[in-house]
Structure formats: structure tokens, C-alpha cells
Amino acid sequence: MQIHLAAFLIAGNAAHSQVLWRHPQSQPGGFLKLDYYARIAQTLERGKFDLLFFADRLAVSTRYGGDHRYGVAHGDQDATRLDPLPVLGALAAVTSHIGLGATRSTTYSQPYSLAREFSTLDHLSSGRAAWNVVTSVNQGEADNFGLRETLGHDERYDRADEFLEVAHKLWGSWAPDALQLDASKGQYGDADQVNAIAHQGRHFNVQGPLNIPASPQGGPVIIQAGSSHRGQDFAARWAEVVFGIQPDLPRMQRFYQDLKGRAAKFGRAPTDIKVLTAMMPFVGNTLDEAEEKRAQHNALIDDPLVGLSTLSSHMNVDFSAYPLDAPIEDLQVAGMQGLFSLVKELSKEQKLTLADIGRLYASGVLVPQIVGTAADIADWMGNIIAQQGADGFVITPAHLPDGFDDFVDLVVPELQRRGQFRLDYEGDTLRSYLQS
Ligand SMILES: Cc1cc2nc3c(=O)[nH]c(=O)nc-3n(C[C@H](O)[C@H](O)[C@H](O)COP(=O)(O)O)c2cc1C
């Protein structure tokens, strides 16, 4: 069984770790420069990663304390983010194999412009584009796009379903051979092979066709990360890659079985969907060295409020209104419900206060930190795959731009020696790597 690898990035000062920018090995302002991203992407391509992907949100955090002051002053996950798509356009020029994924919201985009963006990226990268489909959860985003409040949880997914239908119709509106380019006959395109889509629906009316010929993958690889029941149904219908955050093997297995079990309902095979679970590796030549690296990162969390600011943004709840030294309240949230259920479970199981949750969240949302030598980490990963906890991993860094180096230089060769990971890219497109 081959392991699939993705890298988690934000085009800003954080990753899952919200203290990453304070790490002595980080370049805090690097995220505004192209060479920073080029360095990261080239390292990941050296490590034969299937893809890198940028998470995204469309607002600075305004939930915690009711305005932007806290998040901006301390640098929470939403303090600064470049638009990931132009970053990927630039990375297409300095890489040649790795998949390039960006997050775009179905609530705050239109299918026609989004279909163009990803079709363009797919052409310019020769078939490496991926779209992380999100429905957007927080009030700050609604406030930036003229909505009085965010759409209801299930309504967001209803709109997203129709959005995906329209986007796929647009990507299919040019048959693969429709662009003829026969200069001697003066035949540019075969109009019979280009079709309007004439979509009339509840949320969208789109005539089409797209003004871009069929791209190498025929449309980007679809990524999704919803973890509520409605979110998992959406993923089972559309996604080719699903990201999960699960802290332990039993939870990974439940998520994996649940998601794959939904595939048949949408006429798909379980293997059509690759489930990648997030991990934050700390790799050393010895266990002590690895432990030291983890301690160095986690010591940067001197204040639980950075994590609570991000938690407020994720859950669309102002946690400044709750006592820090008490367990987390049993709230119903409209934000990331799957992740919030996990927060509540962990809080109960480990008797964590809101301040403890804040520190945990700041260290890496709820992504498990995996510490050890390359062999230890490869053992841990191999076991997750063998026990059907995941098809692969989303690797999240503790510092940047060099935070993937240990993994690529030490763990990847170990996985390759064990025959669990590709020695080189096979196939021409991101979709072909995922299917191998
Ligand atoms: C691992 C993970 C990564 C996510 N990344 C993003 C993101 O980059 N941007 C965003 O707006 N939402 C992101 N989300 C939110 C989901 O796309 C989804 O909107 C949210 O989880 C609410 O859906 P749910 O209630 O089904 O979980 C992420 C969620 C998870 C679990």
C-alpha cells in the first residue's frame, strides 16, 4: 500500500501552529516573498509529495472580543493571508511535478469565475491543480461580502452541492478535442464540441460554455475537509481527497470507515476517495533530539488567547465571554461542528479548561504531534495505514520555510526503503499520483 502525502500551508504567518512565526528557525516576514514559497515547494517536490495545499479564510479574526485587535496584535491563524491562487501560479513556474492546491469558498465565489481560476491553473501547471472546497463558517467573512449573517450549516452545503454541479458542467463544456487550431483551414475550434450548460438552479443561473478549453485534468482534483455528517456526505459525493484532523487511531478509523461507507450512496467506490489525516512530525536523529524540537516549539505558547482567538474564528463563537479556568461549555456552534465535537470530547476526557484548550489549539489546532526518529515516525505512519486509519497524511510544519526538511530528508527515505512511498513521480497529473 502506497502512502499519499500532502503539505499543509497558509499563505501567512501560521500553519496549524499559530506560534510558527515566533520560532527561531522561521522567517517571520517571509510569507510576503515568492522565494519563501519556492523554497518550500521545491523541498516538498524533492520529497515526492503528492501535493501542497493552502488553507484560506476571507477575513481577519473578529470573533474573539468582537474586533480584530487581539488576532492582529498577537498573530493568530487569520491575522494575515495572501490570496493562495496567485501564489500557486508562481509556484507552477518553479516546480514541475507537485500538485498545487488552493482553498476557495463556495459561499463567497461564483462558479464561472472559480471554474476559470482553476482551469487556468490546471493549464499552466500541466495538470496539477487542486481545489479545497470550503463553505466558510465565520461572521467576519459574511461581514466582508455583504451578508448580514453566515448561511445556516446545511444551507451552506446545499449551495456548495449546486456550485460543484455547475463547476463540473463548465469544466466539461469543452470536449477534449474541441480546440482544433488548424491554421491552414482557419478552423480555430469545433463549435459542435463546445456546449452551453444552460444551468438554472436555486442558487445559480449560468449559461456557459466556459471560455477556456478543457484542461489537462479536465478540472482540478477536489479536496474537502468537512467533518460533520452533512460535510461528510458532501465529501463522499465530490471529494477525491479528504483531510481530517483526528488525534488518535480509533478516531481516525471511525472517520475513515464512516466516510468510505458513504461513497456507495453516491455511486462511488471507497478507493475513489483518499483520506489524509493531519500530523505534525518532530524528527530527530535520536528520540531525545526530537523531544527537544517539540519542546522548543511548544514553549513558544506563552498565552492561551492566541489559540482561543483562532478557535473563536473556527467556531464562530466569542470565547472571550467564557471563564478561562473552567471546562469548555457544551455549546452548539454554527462553525466547524466536527472539530468542535472533538474539542468537547478532549476537554471532557482529559479534564481540560478553556485555557488548556487555547494552548492546545495554538500549538497546532488538534493535530497530533508525532515525535521520534525517522524509523519511529515511519512505524507510526505505517501502522495508521495498516489499521485503516488513513490512506496518507497531511504534514503540517513547526517552522518555515525549512520546517519540512527533516521530514523530507529523514522520514521520506525511510518510507521509500520500506517500499511504502514512491521513489519518483509516476504519471503526468496530480490525479494520476493519487490513483497510483
Ligand atoms: C482539516 C480541516 C481543514 C479546513 N480548512 C479550511 C480552510 O482552509 N478554510 C475554511 O474556510 N474552512 C476550512 N475548514 C472548514 C471546513 O471546510 C468546513 O467548512 C467546516 O469544517 C464546517 O463543516 P463541518 O461542520 O462539516 O465540519 C477546514 C476544516 C477541517 C476539519
Side-chain angles (χ1 to χ4, degrees):
M1 174 83 182
Q2 290 290 301
I3 291 175
H4 294 281
L5 291 177
F8 179 92
L9 293 164
I10 288 173
N13 60 307
H16 288 110
S17 165
Q18 293 132 64
V19 291
L20 176 150
W21 67 276
R22 297 177 69 184
H23 195 287
Q25 284 170 264
S26 282
Q27 282 173 22
F31 75 95
L32 298 169
K33 305 282 181 212
L34 176 56
D35 60 358
Y36 176 87
Y37 297 104
R39 163 93 181 83
I40 296 167
Q42 287 165 349
T43 301
L44 295 167
E45 189 162 81
R46 179 159 56 80
K48 316 294 179 203
F49 271 53
D50 295 64
L51 76 155
L52 61 82
F53 113 95
F54 286 99
D56 199 25
R57 221 175 329 275
L58 298 165
V60 297
S61 319
T62 48
R63 217 61 185 93
Y64 190 82
D67 66 29
H68 66 268
R69 300 195 66 79
Y70 193 85
V72 170
H74 297 270
D76 76 354
Q77 208 186 43
D78 291 344
T80 46
R81 294 173 186 254
L82 301 190
D83 186 322
L85 266 167
V87 177
L88 291 184
L91 291 183
V94 296
T95 56
S96 51
H97 290 90
I98 191 164
L100 303 169
T103 300
R104 275 284 190 265
S105 167
T106 52
T107 301
Y108 301 119
S109 310
Q110 283 292 319
Y112 199 87
S113 50
L114 181 135
R116 293 186 76 214
E117 289 170 332
F118 282 93
S119 189
T120 301
L121 179 64
D122 205 41
H123 276 291
L124 296 188
S125 66
S126 305
R128 296 188 279 142
W131 170 27
N132 178 38
V133 182
V134 300
T135 56
S136 299
V137 292
N138 79 29
Q139 185 60 37
E141 296 175 296
D143 291 343
N144 287 341
F145 287 83
L147 282 191
R148 195 169 304 167
E149 52 187 38
T150 57
L151 300 180
H153 183 264
D154 288 3
E155 197 187 343
R156 286 200 306 268
Y157 280 113
D158 292 346
R159 179 182 158 106
D161 270 328
E162 191 182 335
F163 197 118
L164 268 284
E165 278 170 37
V166 179
H168 280 293
K169 286 184 196 171
L170 287 168
W171 289 317
S173 63
W174 284 66
D177 296 328
L179 188 67
Q180 305 257 300
L181 300 176
D182 189 335
S184 62
K185 289 193 193 141
Q187 180 153 21
Y188 183 72
D190 177 353
D192 291 339
Q193 294 194 58
V194 180
N195 294 301
I197 67 166
H199 176 91
Q200 302 255 320
R202 192 165 151 241
H203 298 94
F204 306 108
N205 294 321
V206 181
Q207 182 62 19
L210 201 63
N211 53 1
I212 302 181
S215 72
Q217 295 188 111
V221 165
I222 303 293
I223 304 171
Q224 219 276 328
S227 48
S228 64
H229 292 300
R230 183 68 182 87
Q232 281 182 287
D233 265 353
F234 179 80
R237 179 170 176 197
W238 300 106
E240 297 163 83
V241 175
V242 172
F243 289 153
I245 296 182
Q246 308 293 341
D248 51 48
L249 179 60
R251 284 186 172 90
M252 289 175 200
Q253 288 169 319
R254 273 204 299 278
F255 182 73
Y256 186 89
Q257 297 301 340
D258 188 352
L259 193 75
K260 300 241 175 185
R262 291 169 196 253
K265 196 160 59 165
F266 300 100
R268 304 181 73 203
T271 49
D272 291 346
I273 309 167
K274 302 296 178 207
V275 176
L276 308 187
T277 196
M279 64 182 277
M280 188 174 183
F282 292 90
V283 196
N285 290 311
T286 62
L287 181 59
D288 283 352
E289 194 184 302
E291 286 288 7
E292 230 168 80
K293 288 181 184 176
R294 170 162 66 172
Q296 182 186 27
H297 171 268
N298 289 354
L300 299 169
I301 305 153
D302 49 15
D303 177 354
L305 304 191
V306 175
L308 293 181
S309 179
T310 299
L311 184 71
S312 291
S313 165
H314 285 184
M315 304 309 159
N316 205 23
V317 170
D318 181 3
F319 284 102
S320 75
Y322 296 89
L324 279 174
D325 54 359
I328 199 150
E329 308 246 343
D330 190 15
L331 306 167
Q332 284 304 316
V333 304
M336 300 191 197
Q337 295 183 357
L339 215 47
F340 194 63
S341 306
L342 193 53
V343 167
K344 287 192 290 192
E345 280 169 37
L346 291 181
S347 172
K348 208 166 171 187
E349 279 168 27
Q350 299 174 22
K351 305 206 183 333
L352 304 179
T353 63
L354 186 61
D356 297 329
I357 292 285
R359 277 185 282 270
L360 188 64
Y361 224 74
S363 74
V365 183
L366 303 174
V367 175
Q369 297 186 334
I370 309 302
V371 186
T373 62
D376 297 335
I377 291 181
D379 285 348
W380 184 86
M381 294 170 76
N383 186 47
I384 302 290
I385 301 291
Q387 306 277 335
Q388 299 201 328
D391 299 307
F393 300 88
V394 177
I395 309 299
T396 190
H399 56 85
L400 284 172
D402 299 337
F404 293 104
D405 291 30
D406 285 345
F407 188 87
V408 164
D409 293 333
L410 300 171
V411 181
V412 166
E414 181 64 29
L415 294 171
Q416 288 170 328
R417 261 194 296 281
R418 297 177 182 204
Q420 290 179 314
F421 189 59
R422 65 173 70 87
L423 295 174
D424 207 346
Y425 289 103
E426 289 164 23
D428 293 333
T429 61
L430 170 57
R431 189 166 281 122
S432 65
Y433 315 150
L434 290 167
Q435 283 159 2
S436 66

